[in-house]
Amino acid sequence: MTLDVLTKSLWDARRSFLGWAIGLAGAAGIYTSSYALIEPTSYEEVIDAFPTEILEAMGWDDIASPAGYLGSTVFGLVVPILTVIFAIAVGARFLAGDEEAGTMELTLTHPVSRASLVLQRAGAALLAGLGAGVVVCVAVLALASPVGLDVPASRIIAASFSLALLAVAFAMLAIALGAWIGRRGIVLGVCSAVAVFAYFASTVLTTVDGFEWVDKTSLFFYYGGQEILENGLSIGNMVVLVIVSTVLLVGAVLGFQRRDVGVG
């Protein structure tokens, strides 16, 4: 199987990737370096100012510790959300975007099967997701020690890898929807809605009586950034993310093979 589609996908998106890489590194770097700018007593004031339920839901209950700080800022809020947005945008672009732009028919006239096309687009999205994790990891590792964040490098690497798996899962969701629907706007809307629900299911809804179980349906729960920083990587959670991504990829291949896109 030639990898022309994969390499071209990455090359065509190189400027977008560079912009996102700068943004992710900047966000991770700003939050990491800010640890040294705030007095420890300020973190205690934050903890005292909020109800326990909210602190636990948002992962702020241990914000005064190095692992708790990284888990509630870099790996808990802004960076994961930016990474998921990036992954959804990549997944929507690599399949549904081509179809809306009218280039899909031209691509399929070349000697490449539909299954190969989907797999290579997914491969490009996989590399993009892993790349996002590497960017965040490098930014945090470069600044953690100088600002006094005494967190083992192995756990920062593990949390970044789990973040990459989360990104890949959402990218595969976008690719699967694009394979079945072929409309980039719909794919972006549905994936964004799923991401918002998933985030709140693993945070706010855990504080509502009777809805504690909902977090188990969220990809953010299996990502578990702060948990990894404090206790290490969970192989079980990692396997769940891999399985979800694989199932979505299989669904994408089946859907694209069966759908009429104007080419035999």
Side-chain angles (χ1 to χ4, degrees):
M1 178 178 68
T2 178
L3 298 179
D4 289 348
V5 175
L6 187 153
T7 54
K8 188 176 188 305
S9 298
L10 294 174
W11 178 254
D12 290 345
R14 65 191 184 281
R15 293 187 179 87
S16 175
F17 287 168
L18 177 60
W20 274 103
I22 293 173
L24 288 172
I30 289 172
Y31 276 97
T32 302
S33 59
S34 295
Y35 180 77
L37 303 178
I38 304 176
E39 295 294 330
T41 53
S42 298
Y43 294 118
E44 299 296 339
E45 292 173 0
V46 170
I47 293 174
D48 294 338
F50 285 89
T52 302
E53 293 80 5
I54 298 298
L55 290 172
E56 292 178 351
M58 302 304 294
W60 297 344
D61 51 319
D62 192 32
I63 194 172
S65 72
Y69 175 82
L70 273 182
S72 60
T73 55
V74 176
F75 291 100
L77 183 60
V78 176
V79 173
I81 290 175
L82 287 176
T83 303
V84 166
I85 292 173
F86 164 68
I88 291 172
V90 168
R93 170 179 180 162
F94 278 169
L95 213 57
D98 285 346
E99 195 165 345
E100 280 202 347
T103 60
M104 181 63 72
E105 291 85 352
L106 178 61
T107 300
L108 289 174
T109 60
H110 291 78
V112 56
S113 68
R114 292 191 178 204
S116 175
L117 176 64
V118 174
L119 291 174
Q120 290 190 60
R121 294 292 197 199
L126 169 65
L127 293 176
L130 294 176
V134 170
V135 167
V136 172
C137 183
V138 170
V140 175
L141 286 175
L143 294 170
S145 181
V147 301
L149 280 167
D150 187 20
V151 179
S154 60
R155 293 190 176 178
I156 293 175
I157 294 171
S160 301
F161 179 65
S162 188
L163 177 65
L165 292 182
L166 177 70
V168 171
F170 274 101
M172 294 306 151
L173 174 62
I175 286 176
L177 288 175
W180 282 91
I181 299 172
R183 295 292 181 269
R184 184 170 178 267
I186 296 177
V187 171
L188 289 173
V190 172
C191 289
S192 297
V194 171
V196 170
F197 172 79
Y199 181 77
F200 280 99
S202 66
T203 54
V204 177
L205 288 182
T206 60
T207 67
V208 180
D209 291 339
F211 285 89
E212 297 87 351
W213 59 271
V214 178
D215 65 337
K216 303 299 191 301
T217 68
S218 168
L219 290 176
F220 281 94
F221 171 81
Y222 298 100
Y223 153 59
Q226 182 165 341
E227 181 70 19
I228 294 172
L229 291 169
E230 294 176 347
N231 302 312
L233 186 66
S234 168
I235 301 300
N237 288 350
M238 181 179 67
V239 169
V240 170
L241 291 175
V242 171
I243 290 175
V244 169
S245 297
T246 302
V247 170
L248 289 170
L249 177 56
V250 172
V253 173
L254 294 176
F256 196 64
Q257 285 180 323
R258 297 179 180 182
R259 194 165 58 81
D260 180 14
V261 292
V263 179

